[in-house]
Amino acid sequence: MDLGDAATETPDSLSHENVFSPSVSEPKHDFREELVIRPLHSGDIYASFQFRTLWKTNFRENKVSHYRLFPKSLGQVISKFSVRELHISFTQGYWRTMQWGQPYQPAPPGTELWVWFQDSVTDVDGTWKKLTNVLSGIFCASLNFIDSTNTVQPSASFKPLGVGNATDHRFLRYATLPREIVCTENLTPWKKLLPCGSTAGLAVLLKSEKLFHSSFHSQAVHIRPICHDWECKATSWELRQTVNVVFDRHISAQGKREWSLFKMFSRTLTEACPLASSSKIYVDITDSPQGEQLELSPPTSLLSQAVALGDRRTFSESCCDMLRPLLHAERYVAGYGLHMGEIHTLMYNNHPYRSFPVLLLESVPWYLRLYIHTLTVTSKGKDNKPSYIHYQPSKDRVRPHLLEMLIQLPPISVTEVTVQFERALLKWTEYTPDPNHGFYVGSSVISSLVPSIVAMDTNMTQERPLFSSFFPNKEESTYFTRVYTEPLLVNLPTPDFSMPYNVICLTCTVVAVGYGSLYNLLTRSFQVEEPSPGLAKRIANVIRKMRGVPPL
């Protein structure tokens, strides 16, 4: 069997994951993706996608206004309707348990929705009705047809899957729409909830025309609170998006059953999602069909075991590990209107226990007049005073602003540098040919001696080759790196460039009319000319002449 061309980075266990987060040093935002491929005894191929987004936040205590990996549309739903858990699935076809075994994520045909509300909700039925209408718009489905006639309140069948001891079923609602047809209109908004959409990572394989021509396909969204650490002192929101597909058997001309990513999805993996901390493909090689030998191409020696569906199974891993960079930075412009604004620079230290200094350089054009007294540096919600600051103010149309700072980045932290600015008015000749496109601000430059990742990774010593472990690595070993943020695109107050055209046209018209009139007066000669008689007078003269009377 041919695995295809590619795989990507490094993810989760295949077993049903505990609600606890895997480590204490789990970052605030995390996204992982995974694909499991299992050949079935019937000859069909079962593919299960899982995309998990973690976010350490609390919708009940504060109003969330900034979203990074977690989709804003679902975050607003959780906050507005006081949702504790939300589970929704869209399925086309029926899962044949006797032929295919148990699925990783079971779902009934049609649409299924069940929600746990917070105990602060007073009108559960009214909130449920509003929620179904909002979800109908988000997923482009007929969830607005859910009403009291197809909504039930189970007392024992559905328990909360996340943390929390409250099991008061008054706050639980369950409904299904078995006749709901799943199509591309449901898959497209589902893929837009992913941090990378369908442009990178495993989601590239989700091609609608292939998925909807399969024997069975199901897509789901599960939101629940989980423990952020093993002691459960903090909670995180988990968004798990799943897609389960069963493809028909593929038989080659030689009579062999073979499959590949391209044959199943008409696509291959080209690049990993840059926002994913891990991405992995598993191939279940536990149950090989009788008389057949399972071969993977390209071959891989990575084997792992996991407990899935009550059974210990063996999986072959095809992956390309992408280590999370220890130093990462990004920048954006905040504010509204065309007068004031803010520049936010975020610097990420992903080292689990080491802090290190970085040198930040900001070069801002003169037409963004910085208010340096508004400069703030915060890490983990506290002020982080730079140990060195050098600032050179700008001069209009001469030089830009220059700001350099030496900042200590704590471990597992996000350090934010914020400064306000005022937009200046340019001369009309200083605008670019496309001023409405905006003006670019160059990237920030971050230089640092970063702790060696080899010194940090102490658990992989036995798996390293001998030649790589011959020379010892000291804990203090560092390496120099330089990081550039993305450039900014800032809009400036732009005049109406049609006004100069109007002024030029008006001026030319006035000059032409005035000069033409004056020229005619100076150069044209005037003569008195008897006016020619009118038609009636000429006729009267003809008649008078015929009668012998003198003309008029």
Side-chain angles (χ1 to χ4, degrees), residues 271-288:
E271 59 178 340
C273 174
L275 299 176
S277 61
S278 70
S279 177
K280 184 174 289 187
I281 296 179
Y282 292 92
V283 179
D284 192 340
I285 60 175
T286 305
D287 301 325
S288 180

Side-chain angles (χ1 to χ4, degrees), residues 11 26 118 125 139 196 216 224 237 259 263 285 302 312 347 414 547 551:
E26 187 79 21
Q118 303 284 355
D125 292 329
F139 295 102
C196 292
F216 173 88
R224 61 173 182 169
W237 283 95
W259 53 269
K263 288 182 179 179
I285 60 175
L302 297 177
R312 183 174 297 277
M347 295 177 290
V414 180
R547 296 173 58 185

Side-chain angles (χ1 to χ4, degrees), residues 51 300 305 317 386 456 492 530:
F51 305 87
T300 175
Q305 289 187 345
E317 302 177 14
M456 179 196 70
L492 295 181
E530 293 291 339

Side-chain angles (χ1 to χ4, degrees), residues 153-191:
Q153 182 181 323
S155 59
S157 298
F158 290 87
K159 299 293 183 181
L161 301 182
V163 295
N165 298 324
T167 57
D168 191 346
H169 291 83
R170 293 179 302 170
F171 302 99
L172 171 65
R173 294 296 183 271
Y174 175 86
T176 59
L177 295 175
R179 296 186 60 182
E180 181 74 6
I181 303 299
V182 186
C183 61
T184 308
E185 294 179 353
N186 308 121
L187 180 64
T188 300
W190 184 94
K191 292 191 291 187

